[in-house]
Amino acid sequence: MSGAPIGRTVTVRDRSLRLWHLPPPVVRPGGAGRPVLLLHGGAYSTMAVFHHPHRPAGEETYSLLEALAFRGFDPYGLDFTGYGGSRSGDLVPGGMEWFLDDAASAARRIRARTGHAPIVLGWSWGAQVAAALAETPDVSGLVFWGGVWGEKADLVPEPLRALPRPAGPWRTNTREHALADFLTPGSHDPRVADAFAEHALRTDPRSPSASRLVFLSGLPLFDPRRIRHPALLVHGEYDPLAGRADHEALADALAGPRVAYRVVPGADHNIQFGLSRAVFFDLLRDFWGGAESGGEVGDA
């Protein structure tokens, strides 16, 4: 695959949003050309977390956009308001409804362009937004990746319960923070971590604090009993921000026709940058290709 994704914009209210697109080279089994909308986390935008610049010769890509395209999906990545290509001066999201409106606008644009409602894949903070969007008919499926439901406060992982309240509407990103998801020895290539930190700080030198403020305002942020689409719940084995008990409770509560919970061995919060990434990429392909059985819960 050649070059960077094509930048497209969608307009919602008085702001423009960047919707990145990387079409599949061919339509293959598995993804079968289905559109996927990727929603990033609370600190860095699509080009930082879903299209890593490191290109190892002869190895699986570190770009989730590329990995999905190679597996036959039609992937799109949204930059929320205030991030990456959707920065507009000092404009920042105003609350959960703002993030949800961004995501719904992108999903509707994808459906108008392709004729199909996309699968929505949310990572970290994006998982909460993706789950809220999956309560609507704007999408056809959900990937809840490294997120938290939080209906029971004691099931929320301790690092999330200990998050401090932001001091202002913006946070200045640092190299130390960019490397915070590369803490498990043996789960990643240190060169990838260094390349990510450099790239992420160029892409998002600062980020809105709104996602953390919304998170701290109280969980849960969505109702799984209203989600009637197929859903895949996934996180890395060493992910400190995703709790097994919380995910198992979420899997039990989801109302969709097909639900699976998977833990990727040897992976951290940022599976897409780890040595187990191909397991994760193939898991996405296999689930949406129909290989999984309904309601199954367990490890990869």
Side-chain angles (χ1 to χ4, degrees), residues 142-167:
L142 168 67
V143 178
F144 187 86
W145 167 24
V148 60
W149 177 24
E151 184 182 54
K152 296 182 179 179
D154 61 333
L155 299 185
V156 176
E158 176 57 32
L160 294 177
R161 293 202 298 267
L163 284 174
R165 189 172 183 83

Side-chain angles (χ1 to χ4, degrees), residues 63-298:
S63 165
L64 180 56
L65 283 167
E66 286 186 352
L68 289 172
F70 278 128
R71 286 161 176 80
F73 294 96
D74 188 15
Y76 295 77
L78 174 68
D79 287 351
F80 288 121
T81 296
Y83 295 84
S86 297
R87 286 195 298 268
S88 181
D90 289 329
L91 184 65
V92 295
M96 182 61 174
E97 71 285 350
W98 194 295
F99 286 97
L100 187 56
D101 193 30
D102 282 0
S105 297
R108 289 192 290 267
R109 175 57 62 92
I110 292 168
R111 184 169 193 165
R113 185 173 186 271
T114 67
H116 301 282
I119 299 163
V120 61
L121 181 156
W123 174 53
S124 197
W125 162 249
Q128 277 72 246
V129 183
L133 183 62
E135 295 181 29
T136 76
D138 287 328
V139 302
S140 61
L142 168 67
V143 178
F144 187 86
W145 167 24
V148 60
W149 177 24
E151 184 182 54
K152 296 182 179 179
D154 61 333
L155 299 185
V156 176
E158 176 57 32
L160 294 177
R161 293 202 298 267
L163 284 174
R165 189 172 183 83
W170 292 95
R171 57 169 298 155
T172 298
N173 291 322
T174 64
R175 177 177 173 80
E176 179 182 16
H177 179 269
L179 293 173
D181 290 330
F182 294 91
L183 297 182
T184 304
S187 69
H188 63 275
D189 183 337
R191 295 172 298 176
V192 173
D194 289 339
F196 170 76
E198 181 179 345
H199 180 57
L201 294 177
R202 284 198 307 268
T203 304
D204 294 275
R206 68 173 187 167
S207 303
S209 300
S211 63
R212 182 172 294 188
L213 288 169
V214 173
F215 187 87
L216 293 174
S217 70
L219 299 175
L221 298 172
F222 60 90
D223 184 354
R225 300 165 190 88
R226 298 180 58 185
I227 299 174
R228 303 192 178 277
H229 305 293
L232 172 63
L233 284 58
V234 61
H235 62 82
E237 178 182 6
Y238 303 119
D239 186 349
L241 305 182
R244 284 178 179 256
D246 178 71
H247 277 62
E248 289 170 351
L250 174 56
D252 289 341
L254 284 164
R258 193 159 59 97
V259 176
Y261 166 39
R262 294 288 182 266
V263 179
V264 178
D268 213 318
H269 187 57
N270 51 355
I271 306 174
Q272 74 276 34
F273 299 149
L275 300 179
S276 300
R277 64 195 182 282
V279 174
F280 173 54
F281 300 157
D282 288 346
L283 176 60
L284 296 174
R285 177 202 61 200
D286 293 344
F287 181 83
W288 298 108
E292 299 292 334
S293 61
E296 185 177 357
V297 178

